[in-house]
Amino acid sequence: MKFLLVFSLLFLVSFAYAQTPFRDTSGLTLNGIEWCEENYQLYTFIGNDFFKHHKHSIESRLCGNLYNDDLWLYLGSDRYQKLIEQSRMYYHLEIQESLEEAKKGIVDTKSVNIKEIPQEIAQQQKELTKSNETKLDVELESEPNEMDINTQVTEKVEMNDSEEGGCLIATATYGTEMAPQVQMLREIRDNQLMSTDSGVSFMSGFNQFYYSFSPYVADMERDNPIFKEMVKIAITPLLSSLSIMSYADSDSEVVSYGIGVILMNLGMYVVAPASVIYQIKNKRIKNNSQV
């Protein structure tokens, strides 16, 4: 009886609070899958600390399950729908695991361990493999050139590795992935940078540098509201200048606009402060000499 009461409370709470931009009552929404994609590079960079970074949320654990699922590398046109359906299966497994661990006094801090629930996962994987093999057979019949298919798969995987990763600092600053500022950064990345060779090369190097420090800055913002406001003030001119990139339509324009944005930000963040400091120092020297 006690167990039924606890389960009923858990169900009511999950139903009341489950409707979010990223999760419905039994799995991830399309926005949730996109959120997983944007955080995939962060997961590969910091491993299981990814769940701690996101406060061990159910959304982060569902993403972790999908990351370790063969379906994550599936490239069919119905990829998003399959990932949404797979997230629902993992949602129920997460609830099941949480109930079992609650009886033992264990805190669930990461995604479901596949080895701990072999039968359910094995059945799901068997059905998924069969579905993928059927789809691949259809594609091979319509396109006999196997080399071209392998090349497309490789290019798609490489593209995913280079382009994924959300703007953690901007998200922490504005409080949500749905903020207009974060959406603007995402659109510039997807529509301008990732559509050109020079943009892809830039993002590949930039992501390695950015994710070496951005998780820690984002955590500091969440823990310190004053620091968060300071970051917001600091990055506002940067975001305004980056909006210029939305007008770049070709590879050459991405390069020229990019150089212009870099020079503009050097002027705002380096040259202007240095000039002010220099003038203040000169003024002090003159005042001291007059005295």
Side-chain angles (χ1 to χ4, degrees), residues 42-65:
L42 175 63
Y43 172 75
T44 61
F45 185 77
I46 65 178
N48 285 335
D49 286 342
F50 172 82
F51 307 112
K52 180 180 178 182
H53 176 74
H54 289 292
K55 312 299 182 185
H56 306 297
S57 67
I58 182 67
E59 289 86 358
S60 67
R61 283 182 278 137
L62 290 177
C63 289
N65 285 313

Side-chain angles (χ1 to χ4, degrees), residues 77-88:
S77 59
D78 57 346
R79 177 173 183 265
Y80 280 151
Q81 186 56 43
K82 285 184 175 293
L83 287 173
I84 290 173
E85 294 172 359
Q86 194 77 333
S87 74
R88 292 170 181 164

Side-chain angles (χ1 to χ4, degrees), residues 133-145 149:
E133 288 176 351
T134 302
K135 184 172 182 62
L136 183 59
D137 290 339
V138 173
E139 291 176 350
L140 288 175
E141 289 176 1
S142 61
E143 180 55 66
N145 193 335
I149 294 176

Side-chain angles (χ1 to χ4, degrees), residues 91-124:
Y91 177 84
H92 292 294
L93 293 181
E94 286 288 342
I95 296 299
Q96 176 184 336
E97 183 191 54
S98 296
L99 290 172
E100 292 174 354
E101 292 179 341
K103 298 177 184 178
K104 303 175 183 178
I106 301 174
V107 178
D108 184 12
T109 60
K110 63 182 186 308
S111 299
V112 170
N113 189 329
I114 293 180
K115 294 180 180 178
E116 292 177 357
I117 311 180
Q119 294 179 350
E120 293 91 337
I121 297 291
Q123 181 61 27
Q124 291 287 338

Side-chain angles (χ1 to χ4, degrees), residues 41-237:
Q41 187 162 337
L42 175 63
Y43 172 75
T44 61
F45 185 77
I46 65 178
N48 285 335
D49 286 342
F50 172 82
F51 307 112
K52 180 180 178 182
H53 176 74
H54 289 292
K55 312 299 182 185
H56 306 297
S57 67
I58 182 67
E59 289 86 358
S60 67
R61 283 182 278 137
L62 290 177
C63 289
N65 285 313
L66 293 177
Y67 295 154
N68 291 284
D69 192 304
D70 291 340
L71 181 62
W72 186 253
L73 297 179
Y74 174 68
L75 303 176
S77 59
D78 57 346
R79 177 173 183 265
Y80 280 151
Q81 186 56 43
K82 285 184 175 293
L83 287 173
I84 290 173
E85 294 172 359
Q86 194 77 333
S87 74
R88 292 170 181 164
M89 182 270 290
Y90 283 120
Y91 177 84
H92 292 294
L93 293 181
E94 286 288 342
I95 296 299
Q96 176 184 336
E97 183 191 54
S98 296
L99 290 172
E100 292 174 354
E101 292 179 341
K103 298 177 184 178
K104 303 175 183 178
I106 301 174
V107 178
D108 184 12
T109 60
K110 63 182 186 308
S111 299
V112 170
N113 189 329
I114 293 180
K115 294 180 180 178
E116 292 177 357
I117 311 180
Q119 294 179 350
E120 293 91 337
I121 297 291
Q123 181 61 27
Q124 291 287 338
Q125 295 292 70
K126 183 177 180 181
E127 295 175 0
L128 178 63
T129 301
K130 183 177 179 180
S131 174
N132 287 345
E133 288 176 351
T134 302
K135 184 172 182 62
L136 183 59
D137 290 339
V138 173
E139 291 176 350
L140 288 175
E141 289 176 1
S142 61
E143 180 55 66
N145 193 335
E146 183 177 354
M147 183 175 296
D148 288 345
I149 294 176
N150 292 334
T151 301
Q152 292 173 5
V153 170
T154 302
E155 289 176 350
K156 178 65 176 179
V157 171
E158 291 176 350
M159 180 69 75
N160 285 340
D161 289 340
S162 65
E163 75 179 57
E164 303 202 2
C167 187
L168 302 180
I169 294 177
T171 301
T173 300
Y174 296 100
T176 173
E177 289 271 354
M178 309 304 291
Q181 295 85 349
V182 181
Q183 295 277 26
M184 180 196 73
L185 291 175
R186 184 184 298 116
E187 289 172 1
I188 290 175
R189 181 198 66 189
D190 295 342
N191 299 335
Q192 274 72 41
L193 296 179
M194 299 311 301
S195 63
T196 61
D197 293 337
S198 56
V200 171
S201 299
F202 169 77
M203 288 302 299
S204 179
F206 173 76
N207 281 339
Q208 292 185 8
F209 166 72
Y210 179 71
Y211 285 103
S212 66
F213 68 87
S214 60
Y216 311 106
V217 175
D219 283 340
M220 290 174 63
E221 287 190 76
R222 295 185 182 95
D223 296 336
N224 191 329
I226 296 177
F227 178 70
K228 178 179 178 179
E229 290 304 315
M230 293 173 60
V231 173
K232 181 181 292 187
I233 294 172
I235 68 174
T236 296

